[in-house]
Amino acid sequence: MDPDNKSVHMRLYSMNKREFVMVFIVLLTAMGLVLFIGLTGPSITLTTKISGVEVLKHTNGSLPQGPFVVKTPSLSVYNQRMWLIAVVQTDNKDDETYDKSFKIRMDIKGITPQHKTTDIVKVFKNNRTRHLLCKQQICGQVPIAHIGYIHYTHYMFEVDFYNLETFHQKYQVKEVMFYMSSYKTYNPGFTQMEIWFRLFYLLSAFGVHCCFANSLRKFPVVDWSYEQKWTVVLWPLLILFNGPIFPLTLLISNQLIGMLDGVFKVTFICAILFFWLCIYHGLRQNERKLIAFYLPKAILVGPFWVCSVIMVKCRRMNEFDDPAFSYEIDSSAYTVRTIK
């Protein structure tokens, strides 16, 4: 509240016990609904296992090099994304931890519903380094490819491993399992539930925001309390944080759509940081001038927002340009990007 006590009184300060109880009941109901859907709803991802040994029977390849030719199950836009991950199994029975770097080569083909095969334009042809971290018989998951948008009904991957000969001689690779998290996609049932869930909370948040703004409309803006002004600003950012353009990511294969979703999330988080800086500093300072009060905080928060947006942009561009890109491993892509 402003010190001159001329601002509009916040409803929070005039609520009685019954109204407080009703507010908490509504909040707990919303949280309970989220928990109930999470526990009883469909699983988030679907995983398909494919044995590398079985694949090699049809390709005349060898462990651990390959080539491994694997075909995905039938996919749709509701699968959202797809990951191809490899898990190596060995005969190693000691407690030694082994970290071996190796390279992969991969070709990708898309198969349409009419069973026409298309070479994907952005095919990964150069060797990409991966690390195989093993302890006893099971090695860690190795990310092979990530498809950010499902264009085709099926995908065909041809994967080769290099520089694993000495590892194979010492530990005897006995199996290479591929999943799709070795094939992994979003569950279409979960995607449909997510769309309706997002729509419900989007409409609810928009409705509450309209009611709140309408209750303040009869008062001049200069009479609004500091918290009320910030609520009007943060609420639309919260709606954007909820991802109102999410359905477009299923309909349009565009880097900009996916990047906007990340920018909305980054903007809301930075706005929350800016809000708390202003609130805590405002407890000791009543003069809130643009340059003296807000500008230093904007200079402090601004670099976080700019860096986050750049990282979101680089990640989306790399994921679309290179299916073998992994932001967890290929961190050099954030500092150096080769322009071809």
Side-chain angles (χ1 to χ4, degrees), residues 9 16 35 37 59 74 84 89 133 149 167 184 186 203 210 217 222 268 304-305 308 317 327 331 339:
H9 286 279
N16 55 42
L35 183 61
I37 293 176
T59 61
S74 179
L84 178 63
Q89 300 176 7
L133 184 61
Y149 182 84
F167 178 85
K184 186 174 185 177
Y186 279 96
L203 296 178
C210 289
R217 189 166 59 91
V222 293
F268 176 73
F304 289 98
W305 184 85
S308 299
M317 291 179 64
Y327 73 92
S331 57
I339 302 178

Side-chain angles (χ1 to χ4, degrees), residues 107-122:
D107 292 328
I108 307 176
K109 298 181 185 295
I111 304 176
T112 65
Q114 294 74 30
H115 304 288
K116 294 183 179 180
T117 302
T118 304
D119 290 327
I120 295 180
V121 177
K122 300 172 183 178

Side-chain angles (χ1 to χ4, degrees), residues 10 27 36 45 97 108 120 135 165 185 205 249 255-256 263 285:
M10 296 180 64
L27 291 176
F36 175 78
T45 59
T97 299
I108 307 176
I120 295 180
K135 185 175 182 180
E165 292 80 5
T185 65
T249 62
Q255 297 182 27
L256 180 61
V263 171
Q285 182 172 335

Side-chain angles (χ1 to χ4, degrees), residues 7 21 31 94 114 146 156 178 206 256:
S7 61
V21 171
M31 294 177 62
D94 56 37
Q114 294 74 30
H146 169 243
M156 184 81 73
F178 288 91
F206 182 75
L256 180 61

Side-chain angles (χ1 to χ4, degrees), residues 270-323:
C270 290
I272 288 291
L273 176 59
F274 188 77
F275 162 73
W276 283 114
L277 289 174
C278 294
I279 287 294
Y280 281 121
H281 190 197
L283 294 176
R284 302 181 58 185
Q285 182 172 335
N286 295 325
E287 292 292 333
R288 304 185 183 106
K289 295 182 179 180
L290 180 63
I291 296 179
F293 184 78
Y294 291 102
L295 183 59
K297 299 172 182 60
I299 295 175
L300 180 63
V301 177
F304 289 98
W305 184 85
V306 172
C307 292
S308 299
V309 169
I310 292 175
M311 291 184 68
V312 169
K313 179 178 180 295
C314 289
R315 178 182 174 183
R316 289 293 180 179
M317 291 179 64
N318 280 287
E319 286 180 346
F320 269 81
D321 293 342
D322 182 2

